[in-house]
Amino acid sequence: MSDQHDDHFATRLSHLGRPGTRTHGFVNPPLHRGSTVLVPSTAARREGWKHRYDQYLSYGLHGNQTHHMLEDLIADIEGGTRCQIVSSGLAANCIGLLAYLGHGDHCLIPDSVYGPVRSFCDSVLAGRMAVEVSYYRPDLTPAGLEPLLRPNTRVLYLESPGSHTFEMQDVPALAALARQHGLKVLMDNTWGLHFFQPFDHGVDVSIQALTKYAGGHADVLLGSLTTRTDEDWRAVRQTALLYGQYASPDDCWLTLRGLRTLNVRLRHQMASGLEVARWFAARQEVLRVLHPALPDAPGHGLWKRDFSGACSLFGVVFRPEFAEARVDAMIDALRLFGIGASWGGFESLALPTYGSITRTASSPDLGGPAVRFHIGLEEPSDLIADLAQAFDRLHARPA
Ligand SMILES: *Cc1c(COP(=O)(O)O)cnc(C)c1O
């Protein structure tokens, strides 16, 4: 058999994670559901239980072939070797932190971290487990980060670009510093997905909300933790199982199905996203567009150096003279954009972020009210026409 890792991304998405000849020729895997796994003897039972932290069929909670096929495919997409699927992206974030942190440890979290992760850090890690949590400016250089290290620092957590505010991080430089000091480097790589290869840049554990582009159809909630080493995989898998983490096989199956079209969706949405982002950038009502692939955007140099593409999620900052109520009215006037959380599906979304950004190490002020846009699979010219009509509301006197 040729080495499948030599195949291009598009080819691997089509060929990996398939059941081979085990399903009488059907291309897609069967959907396995179940709790009890029967074994032929008491001895087999004792032997099997020893392997419950392996990718082994011992009990439903420990995963079945549907989970394992998805795990192997995700590990491949991220350039890692092993993966653990959990029930949501947020569960993956939390399990990753819990795998390496305990009473008295210290961790470093970017100020631009996904909001629910901040809540977890504040209420569970700091609030109940006596873990010291420091938030740092996401754009810190290694020289700026070094003074924040303590003798008990165990984890450097990264997310690039940041949630809502899209700051880019110098991942390889920060990860190199962390490694020198023996820290584990965890990264939420949901935005980068395949475009950022975390293990080429010093990351130990890469976290994905598969809910987003991997699922791709706004119909599943799922998360993953991918590792380069077997040791890290065991640490996250054991933690996931100790916490009773389980992912629905139906959602795993749907995500395997979603992944077959990931490459075409991503490429299409990247192009559409850039087209709409450029339209925003040319409008006089707009102060800045927070899209790392635009040459004027903050962090563009890092994106160009480290990423091979961009997804279709970005921010738009309106000039401060447009009050939040007017921006609200603009969003409410959109016909083709839904108002809602999450992203990565086929549908376009607009989400006001003013009033919902918490920052403790940097300023939440972007210079004006900001809206997060997700560009779906609609025709970009239709989306632009819709935005153009809604922009009239920015100038209308409020009713
Ligand atoms: C959505 C999101 C998550 C959480 O994913 P869920 O599956 O919704 O729990 C985590 N990180 C980032 C960056 C996200 O955007």
Side-chain angles (χ1 to χ4, degrees):
M1 203 169 73
S2 67
D3 186 356
Q4 293 180 306
H5 293 281
D6 290 341
D7 289 334
H8 288 93
F9 181 50
T11 308
R12 301 203 312 274
L13 284 176
S14 177
H15 284 267
L16 294 180
R18 275 170 36 176
T21 53
R22 282 173 287 167
T23 51
H24 312 286
F26 280 102
V27 173
N28 284 300
L31 168 52
H32 293 279
R33 322 176 99 263
S35 50
T36 302
V37 177
L38 296 176
V39 288
S41 66
T42 51
R45 160 77 182 163
R46 275 182 215 108
E47 184 57 26
W49 196 251
K50 282 189 215 154
H51 296 289
R52 66 190 181 283
Y53 293 129
D54 302 331
Q55 224 181 28
Y56 191 87
L57 305 176
S58 43
Y59 177 51
L61 182 69
H62 306 155
N64 66 44
Q65 299 96 318
T66 309
H67 298 93
H68 299 165
M69 270 182 258
L70 177 62
E71 285 168 353
D72 293 347
L73 187 49
I74 296 296
D76 179 84
I77 288 171
E78 289 206 277
T81 52
R82 312 218 60 179
C83 171
Q84 174 69 26
I85 299 290
V86 292
S87 60
S88 69
L90 180 60
N93 299 126
C94 301
I95 292 295
L97 290 164
L98 289 167
Y100 297 102
L101 291 168
H103 189 275
D105 290 339
H106 174 233
C107 65
L108 289 160
I109 309 283
D111 212 21
S112 52
V113 71
Y114 176 65
V117 172
R118 178 185 284 270
S119 304
F120 173 78
C121 289
D122 291 345
S123 26
V124 180
L125 294 185
R128 297 185 197 162
M129 290 173 61
V131 172
E132 298 166 21
V133 178
S134 297
Y135 294 98
Y136 64 92
R137 287 178 56 105
D139 56 357
L140 275 192
T141 60
L145 191 70
E146 194 155 21
L148 303 182
L149 297 176
R150 301 175 189 171
N152 57 340
T153 309
R154 298 278 174 269
V155 165
L156 173 68
Y157 189 96
L158 305 165
E159 183 181 326
S160 181
S163 277
H164 289 338
T165 39
F166 298 92
E167 295 92 337
M168 295 297 294
Q169 299 199 264
D170 191 342
V171 175
L174 297 172
L177 174 80
R179 280 165 165 267
Q180 271 171 30
H181 290 268
L183 276 55
K184 280 290 167 200
V185 181
L186 273 55
M187 177 170 182
D188 186 325
N189 190 34
T190 302
W191 195 95
L193 188 50
H194 167 71
F195 294 134
F196 182 79
Q197 293 283 291
F199 304 104
D200 292 344
H201 295 94
V203 172
D204 294 304
V205 180
S206 178
I207 294 160
Q208 284 288 337
L210 302 177
T211 307
K212 310 292 164 58
Y213 289 95
H217 295 74
D219 54 4
V220 301
L221 283 153
L222 215 56
S224 64
L225 301 117
T226 300
T227 66
R228 194 174 46 79
T229 70
D230 219 49
E231 190 190 345
D232 282 321
W233 178 75
R234 278 172 201 288
V236 296
R237 177 165 168 82
Q238 191 164 4
T239 307
L241 296 183
L242 288 171
Y243 277 87
Q245 265 295 324
Y246 181 67
S248 149
D250 302 66
D251 284 357
C252 292
W253 195 92
L254 282 169
T255 303
L256 273 169
R257 177 180 161 131
L259 286 168
R260 302 299 176 203
T261 56
L262 177 66
N263 186 50
V264 266
R265 284 188 286 109
L266 270 181
R267 282 196 298 167
H268 189 86
Q269 285 175 274
M270 170 162 109
S272 302
L274 276 166
E275 187 174 339
V276 179
R278 287 195 192 102
W279 180 86
F280 277 118
R283 291 288 302 215
Q284 49 99 0
E285 297 90 343
V286 170
L287 181 66
R288 295 194 288 154
V289 179
L290 308 173
H291 188 314
L294 289 185
D296 294 339
H300 174 69
L302 291 173
W303 174 81
K304 216 172 150 181
R305 188 191 69 187
D306 297 341
F307 285 63
S308 60
C311 69
S312 61
L313 185 83
F314 58 88
V316 173
V317 185
F318 289 85
R319 291 193 178 280
E321 58 265 34
F322 297 103
E324 290 172 4
R326 289 198 176 199
V327 180
D328 277 351
M330 183 279 291
I331 296 172
D332 288 338
L334 289 166
R335 184 174 66 89
L336 298 176
F337 290 78
I339 304 168
S342 208
W343 43 280
F346 54 85
E347 79 291 13
S348 290
L349 299 167
L351 192 72
T353 57
Y354 30 91
S356 64
I357 300 178
T358 305
R359 295 286 181 270
T360 50
S362 54
S363 167
D365 184 17
L366 293 165
V371 180
R372 190 184 76 176
F373 285 94
H374 172 255
I375 304 305
L377 290 167
E378 301 92 337
E379 192 63 34
S381 60
D382 288 340
L383 296 175
I384 288 171
D386 189 30
L387 288 162
Q389 65 79 23
F391 262 45
D392 289 346
R393 299 298 178 96
L394 290 170
H395 304 282
R397 212 183 295 267

